[in-house]
Amino acid sequence: MSEENRLGDYLRARRELVTPDDLGLPSHGVRRVPGLRREEVALLAGISSDYYLRLEQGRDRNPSAQVLDALARVLLLDDTATAYLHQLAAPRPRSRRRPARRPAVPPATAQLLESVGLPAFVTDRTLDVIAVNPLATALVPTVRVGENRLRSFFLDPAERNLHADWSATAAQCVAVFRRRLGTDVDDPRVMRLVGELSLASAEFRKVWARHDVRPVVDKPIRMNHPLVGELSLTLSKLDVDGPDGLALAAYHAAPGSEDAERLALLASLTTTGPARRAEPARRAEPARRAEPAQWAEPAQWAEPVRREASGADPRTGRPENRLDGPRRTT
């Protein structure tokens, strides 16, 4: 989305996603553009073709609320997308550059992470993970302090393998990200993140170009976990009070279900401990494929090995008589 013409970029992107069949219009011959033509949008919205062209080109940036509602109806926008359209057209206050500081997790939120008993983590407005409990990392290994959820979704193969509905989940993540940003996309961190993902992932470029916006709602998540198998969970997000745009996310299963039992099993396999809070801000390195879990052998299994290595008889613990030659086994 260009800095100079956010409204026009959005109108163009949404116009290309609506076909004549979607609106019951006849479609004759070969169409040279995807979606609707500009004159078709203008006709259905009750405005002139020249005026709509000026809106898309950014030469007119003050459409009335009635015009915006008419365009939203033609472009089949839902309530969330319509509100976003009005937000793009509203005069923007002069932006003040945010200080480069680390968001602080409120103490009550940190305490909730430690005691909730569910996989949970906190992200900032750019979807950087700034706090996480151990169970969340056991469920999704890329959920670690300093990692970015968008970067993990699109650049980490392990994340793709974990999610059974990866495409839908990733698209939803992008749409919620855009909705949370609103018109404030000129943050340097946001620009760097979007630029990095656009260069590295064709899938991200395609989803970002749709300009989808989605509200933050509970959503089903299906996973193929390497330790506990298939899981059908719900991911819920709650806004954290404060000026930093923090959100608390938690995975949970229906009480009494097999998924709840498997989640409890994962919790029993997880080393418990306090939630890891935000570390000094750093740019996360590209995530690596998660390695299989390494299980530690009990100490008594390893004891004979250590005794043999030290020259002791593993049965008696006494020093082996090297002068008698190798000990025979009967």
Side-chain angles (χ1 to χ4, degrees):
M1 183 181 290
S2 66
E3 169 69 18
E4 299 80 8
N5 190 21
R6 292 189 178 94
L7 176 62
D9 290 343
Y10 185 68
L11 290 174
R12 184 181 307 106
R14 303 311 300 181
R15 173 172 63 84
E16 293 176 351
L17 295 176
V18 181
T19 67
D21 291 341
D22 293 332
L23 300 175
L25 297 177
S27 180
H28 302 295
V30 178
R31 301 178 68 89
R32 294 180 298 176
V33 296
L36 297 175
R37 299 186 177 100
R38 291 189 182 94
E39 56 267 24
E40 291 171 335
V41 175
L43 177 65
L44 294 172
I47 59 178
S48 70
S49 297
D50 181 66
Y51 179 55
Y52 180 76
L53 177 63
R54 295 202 306 273
L55 289 177
E56 273 203 7
Q57 292 179 342
R59 292 186 288 122
D60 193 313
R61 305 188 183 188
N62 299 290
S64 67
Q66 292 81 3
V67 168
L68 293 174
D69 287 337
L71 291 172
R73 184 180 64 253
V74 174
L75 299 177
L76 304 180
L77 303 184
D78 60 16
D79 291 343
T80 301
T82 299
Y84 183 71
L85 176 64
H86 281 264
Q87 188 178 8
L88 291 175
R92 297 185 68 229
R94 187 170 184 176
S95 61
R96 292 182 301 175
R97 190 167 301 279
R98 288 182 172 84
R101 64 178 181 83
R102 179 182 61 197
V105 180
T109 303
Q111 183 180 12
L112 180 61
L113 277 181
E114 297 175 7
S115 59
V116 68
L118 294 170
F121 58 96
V122 176
T123 57
D124 65 8
R125 57 191 298 275
T126 63
L127 299 187
D128 283 345
V129 178
I130 63 170
V132 58
N133 63 22
L135 185 52
T137 304
L139 179 66
V140 185
T142 55
V143 177
R144 299 187 297 266
V145 170
E147 296 289 342
N148 180 272
R149 295 303 295 138
L150 274 180
R151 185 181 288 112
S152 297
F153 262 114
F154 286 94
L155 301 187
D156 191 337
E159 188 91 28
R160 185 188 297 261
N161 294 335
L162 182 65
H163 288 85
D165 300 319
W166 178 85
S167 295
T169 304
Q172 175 78 3
C173 187
V174 173
V176 170
F177 174 66
R178 188 185 282 277
R179 177 67 183 89
R180 289 181 66 88
L181 289 178
T183 60
D184 192 13
V185 295
D186 54 354
D187 185 298
R189 289 197 305 159
V190 174
M191 297 174 67
R192 285 195 299 269
L193 177 63
V194 171
E196 174 192 351
L197 294 177
S198 297
L199 290 174
S201 171
E203 288 137 325
F204 177 82
R205 288 197 302 273
K206 180 179 178 181
V207 175
W208 185 253
R210 289 176 56 91
H211 290 244
D212 287 333
V213 289
R214 295 284 184 274
V216 179
V217 297
D218 295 351
K219 59 183 178 181
I221 301 290
R222 293 196 305 122
M223 294 182 179
N224 296 314
H225 198 276
L227 291 182
V228 296
E230 295 184 3
L231 286 168
S232 293
L233 306 174
T234 298
L235 178 60
S236 298
K237 293 185 178 182
L238 300 172
D239 289 336
V240 177
D241 289 340
D244 296 317
L246 304 184
L248 171 69
Y251 295 93
H252 54 98
S257 65
E258 291 185 4
D259 300 298
E261 294 176 358
R262 291 173 179 172
L263 197 57
L265 174 60
L266 181 63
S268 70
L269 298 174
T270 303
T271 302
T272 58
R276 291 183 289 278
R277 300 189 186 181
E279 300 168 351
R282 61 181 177 83
R283 183 173 179 177
E285 297 177 358
R288 296 181 293 273
R289 183 184 296 272
E291 297 294 336
Q294 300 294 325
W295 298 99
E297 293 181 343
Q300 63 268 28
W301 296 357
E303 186 64 25
V305 178
R306 288 195 293 269
R307 287 177 176 173
E308 289 186 3
S310 63
D313 188 320
R315 296 170 297 178
T316 67
R318 298 174 181 172
E320 186 177 326
N321 189 349
R322 299 291 184 181
L323 297 179
D324 296 334
R327 175 169 42 82
R328 295 182 180 179
T329 303
T330 57

